[in-house]
Amino acid sequence: MTLPTAELTITEVAVPASLDDADAADFIAAVALNNAVCLADSGVDDYERTAAEMLPMWKDRTDHVHRTFIARAGDSIIGAISLYCGIAEPTSAEVDLMVLPEHWSTGVGQALLDHAEQEARLQGRRVLQAWTLHPAVPGSSTLAPKTGWGVISSSPHTRLLEQNGFTLEQVERSSGFDLQANPSTVEQMLSEAIAAAGPDYRLVEWNLPTPPEQRDGYAWALSRMSTDAPSGDLEIDEETWDAARIARRDARIIGGGQTMSVAAVEHVPTGTLAAFNELVIGEDPTGVTHQYCTLVLKEHRGHRLGQLVKCANVMRWRGIAPASPRISTFNAEENRPMLDINEAMGFVPRAYAGAWQKRLD
């Protein structure tokens, strides 16, 4: 049943100074709702985050805007939507719509999407992007992206996006790697990758905070995620990173009680970073490990550097977070070179995600 508009209220979530503040309740509720929606949509608990992990990201608005709006029917929270966009990246904004299955019939999804689109327009954005999560085994009704790689299940969320002019541009696979399994395969793959890379490439590793001598090279490599990673027809702004932005990102991650390990490869003749991989875990040592970014710069591909950084970081991670059950990571379905490495290492599909885009006229 669709709720009358008068019964639905949408308010922006205040960003508290700390989780103990009197105004922190909505922020904590929004994080909990996001966790519940991810579980309901994907069927796995790989994406759960804590309010403590998320708060530093919301508070620091130097590099991005992160706003969340909660929808209530009376006193009950029945949905939320986040709007995320980069300060230095002027084209696109990303929305994350959070509605549990029992509330899709109320019309809250449309109301929240309309609200976020209006806010994006007010910020001068001309492209709106959204992501949907789906179980690993598709249902009877499926959708294929413009890339032609992969499928996702149709859902109330996908139908709403289609009705509002969004196009499914890309499908990503969410894979899991068993950190408690015998590491012999990964060890062998690491040895092979080091041999294939040869003396022109050197493995370097660190935990955050990033050592000062690595910040410039790491900033350049991170900036290349926006240009070198497969993105279909998604309009991705080229990002600008420097040592100061690296330090701010480090502070947000560490401030949320998280540990990050970076395995990178330096191109010895030029001293530049040619590839890197990031693994992250929160304060719970038994929690799921998240792989953030992995990239081999285009000019350095063909030397097994992706295999090298991924395997090296897994082996290093076993000493950092020995009780973590698995790694969760996302890769575009058309990114066969990286998926080939994942599959050889032992990653298996856990869920899928759809990348959607709407151009705002």
Side-chain angles (χ1 to χ4, degrees):
M1 171 172 33
T2 303
L3 288 171
T5 304
E7 293 185 14
L8 189 68
T9 59
I10 297 176
T11 56
E12 185 166 2
V13 175
V15 181
S18 76
L19 297 180
D20 296 326
D21 284 11
D23 63 349
D26 279 358
F27 173 79
I28 294 170
V31 174
L33 176 61
N34 185 65
N35 289 337
V37 169
C38 288
L39 176 59
D41 290 352
S42 67
V44 296
D45 62 356
D46 292 9
Y47 320 111
E48 185 167 334
R49 310 307 293 266
T50 68
E53 291 170 8
M54 301 304 294
L55 184 56
M57 176 181 170
W58 287 39
K59 287 172 64 177
D60 181 1
R61 300 193 175 189
T62 309
D63 301 305
H64 60 266
V65 174
H66 192 143
R67 302 172 66 192
T68 297
F69 304 89
I70 279 182
R72 285 182 170 86
D75 293 330
S76 300
I77 295 173
I78 62 169
I81 194 164
S82 288
L83 178 69
Y84 180 94
C85 49
I87 299 295
E89 295 79 43
T91 302
S92 64
E94 183 176 321
V95 292
D96 184 10
L97 180 59
M98 297 164 270
V99 180
L100 287 168
E102 60 266 29
H103 296 309
W104 275 108
S105 62
T106 64
V108 65
Q110 184 66 63
L112 286 166
L113 195 58
D114 287 344
H115 191 88
E117 183 173 324
Q118 181 181 17
E119 292 292 338
R121 291 179 184 276
L122 289 173
Q123 294 185 27
R125 304 293 160 151
R126 61 180 179 83
V127 175
L128 205 58
Q129 294 165 347
W131 294 85
T132 54
L133 271 174
H134 306 269
V137 179
S140 57
S141 178
T142 59
L143 303 168
K146 287 172 61 178
T147 62
W149 290 83
V151 296
I152 56 172
S153 298
S154 176
S155 69
H157 196 164
T158 65
R159 290 190 287 273
L160 177 69
L161 292 176
E162 287 181 311
Q163 291 163 11
N164 282 271
F166 284 79
T167 299
L168 179 60
E169 300 284 354
Q170 189 180 51
V171 167
E172 288 200 351
R173 180 189 304 185
S174 175
S175 302
F177 175 82
D178 184 358
L179 282 167
Q180 302 303 312
N182 188 311
S184 58
T185 296
V186 176
E187 288 178 313
Q188 179 63 32
M189 290 178 65
L190 176 58
S191 296
E192 293 169 356
I194 291 172
D200 280 354
Y201 294 98
R202 179 176 72 93
L203 178 66
V204 290
E205 300 169 306
W206 66 85
N207 281 8
L208 266 55
T210 305
E213 66 272 17
Q214 297 291 355
R215 288 177 185 168
D216 287 335
Y218 190 27
W220 171 241
L222 266 175
S223 74
R224 297 287 294 273
M225 284 293 300
S226 61
T227 60
D228 289 16
S231 57
D233 286 336
L234 292 168
E235 291 197 33
I236 307 296
D237 287 306
E238 184 173 354
E239 295 184 356
T240 301
W241 286 77
D242 57 19
R245 187 168 178 178
I246 289 291
R248 291 192 297 272
R249 180 183 188 241
D250 287 358
R252 290 193 297 269
I253 293 170
I254 295 169
Q258 299 176 92
T259 299
M260 177 187 278
S261 169
V262 180
V265 168
E266 177 188 307
H267 183 234
V268 176
T270 62
T272 59
L273 291 188
F276 70 97
N277 171 268
E278 303 171 332
L279 295 178
V280 184
I281 194 169
E283 290 183 320
D284 179 4
T286 65
V288 173
T289 294
H290 299 276
Q291 180 181 285
Y292 279 7
C293 299
T294 301
L295 184 71
V296 179
L297 276 63
K298 285 183 178 180
E299 59 269 29
H300 293 284
R301 291 176 181 171
H303 302 283
R304 295 201 194 178
L305 302 186
Q307 181 174 321
L308 199 164
V309 294
K310 288 178 71 73
C311 292
N313 219 7
V314 165
M315 297 308 301
R316 185 171 195 263
W317 196 249
R318 290 172 64 86
I320 294 171
S324 179
R326 63 184 171 276
I327 297 170
S328 175
T329 185
F330 284 89
N331 298 94
E333 273 292 288
E334 66 268 31
N335 191 358
R336 279 313 318 174
M338 202 61 77
L339 286 174
D340 285 345
I341 296 169
N342 284 355
E343 290 165 1
M345 290 174 67
F347 280 86
V348 296
R350 298 272 294 171
Y352 288 89
W356 299 79
Q357 181 166 264
K358 177 180 181 179
R359 290 176 172 84
L360 304 179
D361 299 325

